[in-house]
Amino acid sequence: MQPPRNETRTGLLCSVAAYSIWGLFPLYWPLLEPSGAVEILAHRMVWSLATVLVVLAATRRWDWIRPLLRQPRRLMMIALGAALISVNWGVYIWGVNSGHVVETSMGYFINPLVSIAFGVLVLRERLRALQWVAVGVGAAAVVVMAVAYGKPPWIALTLAISFSTYGLVKKKVGLGGVESMAAETAVQFLPALGFLLFLGSSGHSTYASEGTGHALLLMGTGAITALPLVCFGIAAVRLPLSVMGMVQYLAPVFQFALGLLVFHETMPAERWAGFALIWLALALLTWDALRTARTARAELRAARQKAERTERDAAVHTEITEGTGVTETPEATAQGR
């Protein structure tokens, strides 16, 4: 059943909003200087929990907590997810504030390719031929980048691998977006708060020393973390995965454009070649996904039509039987068919 048109429009707007906000994150982190990456990360953890608790209170979504506390294995997976997303957030903030915005964008460009590779290695999924080609082209792009940098693009690889692994863990946990964020930031909260208290006691905290505006910006890390996640949750239940898969490229596209046009990062020929290979791999992946989705829809439509024909034939047969006054035994019906 197709969702109503206004629901689809809402889902599309929310998905564009979510990925646009994620793509514009590089504009926010430099505003927090002179805070270091670790201090920004700790504030993000603390204020994200505060923000998501407000969301849960507004929506009265508390019933998931008690069953979760009785499942130690899921709690361990949540702790692992919290560790992975902490690495992802920390490397991303450091990369942006260290002048590597273009490389952070590459991490999210290759993220779908790494996720596919994990699907094969961890979940034993079978790839279609075009998916294999896309993964091969993506691997070639990483090799080209390694040659261009003189070393592997570790920022991009760390972002892609940590986020892909985080996705696998979230799949195992099976919580919704807001609930998952609440559980993960609850794990992060005490270490982050302890670090901030240590910074304050040692006189190295910028929260109180850089003025009210700086303090408010640090507090705002919670809101800008939670807002796109809420938008994503609204979109995910209203849009097909194929549409969400295409919209997700908005974030790295925005990051790449900001790296070039706002932060004026250099793009030698070797880096352009690497990005060209990545974009080719993503084009192949998108084409394969659209073709597969189109085939699946055609098969589903054919199956529905066949079921409807069978139902009509059965109804006609019943009307004829009732009209002639003949009562068929099961044996006779089977012989007739």
Side-chain angles (χ1 to χ4, degrees), residues 103-265:
E103 190 176 346
T104 63
S105 76
M106 183 172 70
Y108 292 107
F109 274 126
I110 65 176
N111 179 67
L113 301 172
V114 175
S115 295
I116 288 176
F118 277 12
V120 173
L121 297 174
V122 179
L123 303 179
R124 304 298 180 187
E125 296 176 352
R126 299 184 65 179
L127 298 187
R128 295 180 292 274
L130 209 55
Q131 288 177 312
W132 276 116
V133 174
V135 171
V137 173
V142 173
V143 172
V144 170
M145 288 291 191
V147 173
Y149 283 106
K151 60 181 180 180
W154 71 268
I155 295 176
L157 292 175
T158 302
L159 290 174
I161 292 171
S162 62
F163 199 74
S164 297
T165 311
Y166 172 69
L168 284 176
V169 170
K170 282 178 71 74
K171 205 177 181 102
K172 297 287 186 183
V173 173
L175 280 177
V178 176
E179 292 85 353
S180 178
M181 182 180 171
E184 289 158 9
T185 50
V187 173
Q188 297 169 332
F189 179 78
L190 286 179
L193 182 61
F195 177 76
L196 292 177
L197 291 175
F198 168 76
L199 280 183
S201 64
S202 62
H204 293 97
S205 173
T206 63
Y207 179 71
S209 63
E210 296 296 322
T212 304
H214 183 74
L216 290 174
L217 285 172
L218 286 172
M219 293 171 66
T221 56
I224 69 163
T225 299
L227 179 59
L229 187 65
V230 172
C231 292
F232 177 84
I234 295 172
V237 297
R238 290 169 170 81
L239 292 179
L241 282 176
S242 58
V243 176
M244 293 292 289
M246 286 186 290
V247 177
Q248 73 173 328
Y249 296 127
L250 274 178
V253 165
F254 282 177
Q255 292 165 13
F256 180 79
L258 289 174
L260 285 184
L261 304 176
V262 177
F263 298 101
H264 306 292
E265 296 185 18

